[in-house]
Amino acid sequence: MNQRLRRGRSRRGMLLPLVLVAMLLVFSIAASLHQVAWRASRGAHSQWDAQRGTYMADAAVVRAIAGWRADSAAATPIGTPRVNDASAAGGWRTRTTTMRTGPLRAVILSVARRDRAAGTADVDAARTKRVVVRVVSLSPPTLPFLGAATLLGPVTVGASLVDGRDVLGRYDAARDDCGPRRDTTSIAAISAQSIATMGAPRLQGAALVASPAQLISARAQFDSGFALLQARATTIPLTPGSAVPPYPEWRAVVIRDTGGVTLSGASTHVGLLAFDGDLTLRGTLEVEGLLLIRGALNASQGALTVRGALMVRDPAVRGSTMGDGVDARYAPCLVGRALAAVAVPRPARFSLWNSP
């Protein structure tokens, strides 16, 4: 009997450690499963936040394109960022930076962050950050640049100075902001339907007589481009005999046709200046950027200075006159910056994401 009791007690003494080991094993398995589930939940939560952050940043880029201010973009020098901050629901914040990288190129960078809500232990939310970068091309109305002075009708040229070269450092660096990293291209000095002289023109570059096919194509291009330009620019009337009113730099301005405009005073404009009709110049006109004239130009009695490009449509083919006081010098970066004021952004087919 005593021997049986001793064997029973021995069995009970072995059972307790086995139960403890089994309980410890079950606890370890449960803890491991809980850890796996917690990590999976945390990973899914982080992935969801990351996806939301990408959507937030991409939406900010779309808003920047939809609300594009062409005049502000043209007025901002290349390489100078414009920053806009915005807040959204759920603690999200976006910072959108827009920067022109060329006369008609830009980059939009958007950073989305999610701040941790007060009183929460979700430390991952404080670290959520997504960056979206989109390359944008600025598309202005298409115009036919055939020379530093493009005249789609006949022209008579006096002792004018017309230079079709793009000379680095010729102009104010604050305006001609391409700097040394640029495509230095030169074009013809003058291109017209026919060219007559009444003196000794000083031309740096070729004097080209456009072919009939070139004229047909260029005139159609000018007409469609000018109509689009009018819709995007600031259009104003002008009393004959007055000067062009002052506008902020790099603004696109169209002077409405009043049966022909005569400028007898002193006028200056930086940006794009267009006349919807004939222009007779008896005073002085200085333009840095682009000068467009839908009618004919008569600059036989005044002084005209253009740093950029000059274009004359002359639909009635009455002929234009460039007298001794005309000084036109080609500057493609000034032309591009002037056109940026009437350009719309066209995003590239790809975007770049960065997930720090």
Side-chain angles (χ1 to χ4, degrees):
M1 177 65 73
N2 292 335
Q3 187 175 2
R4 289 178 181 175
L5 290 174
R6 284 196 297 271
R7 282 200 295 269
R9 289 172 182 172
S10 174
R11 288 171 185 167
R12 287 194 296 272
M14 294 176 61
L15 184 60
L16 182 60
L18 290 175
V19 171
L20 292 175
V21 170
M23 290 179 63
L24 182 60
L25 182 60
V26 170
F27 177 78
S28 298
I29 293 173
S32 299
L33 291 175
H34 179 270
Q35 184 73 7
V36 170
W38 179 79
R39 288 182 179 275
S41 175
R42 177 183 177 184
H45 187 269
S46 298
Q47 183 64 26
W48 171 241
D49 275 346
Q51 192 68 22
R52 287 182 65 192
T54 300
Y55 288 148
M56 289 285 184
D58 207 29
V61 171
V62 172
R63 287 195 301 271
I65 293 175
W68 187 265
R69 289 280 308 276
D71 53 349
S72 179
T76 305
I78 292 174
T80 301
R82 293 180 295 140
V83 180
N84 180 60
D85 293 321
S87 300
W92 287 98
R93 296 174 181 237
T94 57
R95 168 165 286 191
T96 307
T97 303
T98 304
M99 182 175 65
R100 280 197 313 127
T101 57
L104 293 172
R105 295 188 304 272
V107 169
I108 302 176
L109 182 146
S110 178
V111 180
R113 300 176 184 269
R114 186 186 176 200
D115 298 331
R116 181 176 58 183
T120 65
D122 186 4
V123 296
D124 291 329
R127 299 173 183 169
T128 303
K129 173 185 175 183
R130 284 298 180 270
V131 179
V132 171
V133 180
R134 183 165 294 182
V135 179
V136 173
S137 62
L138 306 181
S139 299
T142 303
L143 295 168
F145 293 98
L146 305 178
T150 301
L151 300 103
L152 303 179
V155 62
T156 301
V157 185
S160 303
L161 171 61
V162 186
D163 193 343
R165 300 172 301 171
D166 178 22
V167 180
L168 178 63
R170 173 187 284 176
Y171 310 111
D172 184 358
R175 291 174 177 168
D176 185 3
D177 56 0
C178 290
R181 297 179 180 179
R182 60 199 286 157
D183 295 328
T184 306
T185 56
S186 300
I187 59 178
I190 294 180
S191 178
Q193 178 181 346
S194 63
I195 303 173
T197 60
M198 56 177 185
R202 295 166 292 164
L203 304 181
Q204 296 291 338
L208 301 179
V209 175
S211 68
Q214 284 179 317
L215 288 172
I216 292 173
S217 175
R219 286 166 179 167
Q221 196 175 68
F222 183 98
D223 292 340
S224 61
F226 196 88
L228 188 58
L229 183 149
Q230 284 181 302
R232 298 178 183 175
T234 300
T235 304
I236 61 171
L238 184 68
T239 303
S242 66
V244 176
Y247 273 86
E249 289 191 0
W250 304 112
R251 188 68 56 86
V253 177
V254 177
I255 309 298
R256 282 207 305 262
D257 184 8
T258 56
V261 173
T262 299
L263 296 179
S264 57
S267 302
T268 60
H269 186 80
V270 177
L272 190 153
L273 180 62
F275 291 88
D276 185 17
D278 295 339
L279 173 62
T280 300
L281 189 60
R282 292 177 181 164
T284 62
L285 174 61
E286 296 183 11
V287 176
E288 289 196 49
L290 179 59
L291 175 60
L292 300 176
I293 303 169
R294 194 179 64 84
L297 168 66
N298 184 350
S300 60
Q301 301 176 16
L304 174 63
T305 302
V306 178
R307 300 290 180 263
L310 165 67
M311 192 173 296
V312 180
R313 170 65 171 89
D314 191 9
V317 197
R318 289 190 300 273
S320 298
T321 304
M322 297 172 59
D324 299 348
V326 175
D327 185 338
R329 307 189 189 196
Y330 182 57
C333 288
L334 295 180
V335 173
R337 191 170 179 181
L339 287 172
V342 288
V344 294
R346 306 288 187 193
R349 295 180 179 271
F350 63 91
S351 298
L352 305 177
W353 286 273
N354 179 27
S355 305

